[in-house]
């Protein structure tokens, strides 16, 4: 969140903020795991810890007491001690703030130790590479992400071009495309490449039609009305799960 709160006049983004995403995760956990043991762990990174901290904060505000709160170091290959701690605590679900390489290892080592806790995570998990690391231990992992951008009608033609070139524009590919469309629209409207003018134009709430649909930014450079939905991994891939919404 501080990226735009404190980032200055020339910072903007086309994806939602982690305080919005963390709130969605916390609400889901508080509703579905009331009275149960839940762990919240993070990789100490600005993204992972930031997302986990918001989830912790929102859970506390909802009166939900986390059973275990821990951090781990990204890049390691052995998280068995952390997994053992979660198993000993009897956790039934674990929220992980981090990236898919480490989460893949954690999921696999949870399975090796027989810990069947539900894994819940954030938008960094929108990468099928997770499955190549976790294998079948990744079955059932759920995570928050914006509604699937490849299914947005405005993206249809661009998605077809990507796929024709042999690339599946998953994850944040179309967000990057939309960011360039935002910049191009602002440069066209201001008739130049003056960054100050471009930033002011974007923050004035001017709507821009992109592959993600129409985007309107607020005065800080964040998109208005960011939405998050739930996805689930199964059989090597992930998709929106209507039963979780």
């Amino acid at each position: 969140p501080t990226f735009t709160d404190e980032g200055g006049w020339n910072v903007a983004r086309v994806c939602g903020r982690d305080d919005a995403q963390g709130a969605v995760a916390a609400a889901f956990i508080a509703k579905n795991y009331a009275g149960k043991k839940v762990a919240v762990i993070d990789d100490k990174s600005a993204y992972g810890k930031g997302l986990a901290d918001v989830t912790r904060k929102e859970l506390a505000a909802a009166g939900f007491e986390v059973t275990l709160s821990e951090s781990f170091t990204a890049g390691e290959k052995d998280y068995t001690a952390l997994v053992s701690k979660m198993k000993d605590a009897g956790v039934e679900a674990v929220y992980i703030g981090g990236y898919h390489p480490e989460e893949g290892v954690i999921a696999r080592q949870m399975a090796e130790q027989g810990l069947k806790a539900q894994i819940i995570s954030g938008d960094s998990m929108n990468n099928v590479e997770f499955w190549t690391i976790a294998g079948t231990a990744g079955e059932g992992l759920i995570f928050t992400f914006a509604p699937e951008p490849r299914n947005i009608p405005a993206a249809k033609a661009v998605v077809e071009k990507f796929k024709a070139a042999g690339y599946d524009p998953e994850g944040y590919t179309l967000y990057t495309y939309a960011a360039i469309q935002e910049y191009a629209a602002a440069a066209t409207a201001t008739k130049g490449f003056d960054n100050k003018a471009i930033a002011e134009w974007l923050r004035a709430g001017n709507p821009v039609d992109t592959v993600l649909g129409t985007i309107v930014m607020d005065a800080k450079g964040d998109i208005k009305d960011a939405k998050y939905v739930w996805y689930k991994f199964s059989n090597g891939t992930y998709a929106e799960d209507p039963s979780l919404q």
Side-chain angles (χ1 to χ4, degrees):
T2 56
F3 188 68
T4 40
D5 285 346
E6 303 172 7
W9 61 266
N10 64 331
V11 174
R13 55 181 155 196
V14 294
C15 61
R17 294 162 54 112
D18 287 340
D19 48 0
Q21 184 176 188
V24 171
F28 178 88
I29 293 171
K31 176 184 177 181
N32 293 282
Y33 290 90
K36 297 182 179 180
K37 296 181 178 180
V38 175
V40 178
I41 63 177
D42 68 77
D43 66 356
K44 307 177 189 175
S45 71
Y47 164 74
K49 186 177 187 303
L51 189 56
D53 280 349
V54 171
T55 303
R56 292 180 178 109
K57 178 181 177 182
E58 294 290 336
L59 283 171
F64 188 100
E65 185 175 350
V66 173
T67 301
L68 187 68
S69 182
E70 295 283 338
S71 294
F72 58 91
T73 301
E76 295 185 353
K77 300 301 180 185
D78 184 1
Y79 297 108
T80 53
L82 174 60
V83 171
S84 294
K85 187 175 287 189
M86 291 194 291
K87 185 177 180 181
D88 290 345
V91 301
E92 298 168 79
V94 53
Y95 184 85
I96 307 178
Y99 294 91
H100 73 270
E102 289 75 24
E103 295 196 33
V105 175
I106 291 172
R108 191 175 69 244
Q109 293 177 351
M110 284 174 61
E112 290 170 355
Q113 291 197 40
L115 177 56
K116 301 183 183 299
Q118 172 67 55
I119 302 176
I120 307 169
S121 194
D123 53 349
S124 67
M125 298 306 296
N126 59 2
N127 192 321
V128 292
E129 188 178 272
F130 163 75
W131 193 272
T132 68
I133 301 169
T136 55
E139 183 72 29
L141 177 147
I142 61 175
F143 64 93
T144 46
F145 184 50
E148 174 55 64
R150 289 172 293 183
N151 293 340
I152 296 173
K156 187 174 185 296
V158 172
V159 170
E160 289 176 352
K161 287 182 180 180
F162 270 118
K163 289 186 174 181
Y167 180 79
D168 185 4
E170 70 169 345
Y172 279 102
T173 303
L174 294 173
Y175 283 82
T176 306
Y177 197 100
I180 300 300
Q181 289 180 306
E182 286 275 331
Y183 182 85
T188 299
T190 58
K191 298 181 171 61
F193 298 101
D194 179 88
N195 279 344
K196 193 75 174 180
I198 286 173
E200 289 175 353
W201 188 88
L202 290 171
R203 284 162 176 68
N206 290 296
V208 179
D209 291 330
T210 75
V211 291
L212 301 176
T214 301
I215 291 178
V216 177
M217 290 187 173
D218 64 19
K220 291 191 293 187
D222 283 311
I223 61 170
K224 294 182 177 181
D225 303 320
K227 295 178 175 60
Y228 286 96
V229 295
W230 287 97
Y231 290 73
K232 178 183 283 187
F233 261 98
S234 183
N235 296 320
T237 190
Y238 61 86
E240 288 185 38
D241 189 331
S243 69
L244 299 174
Q245 312 311 329

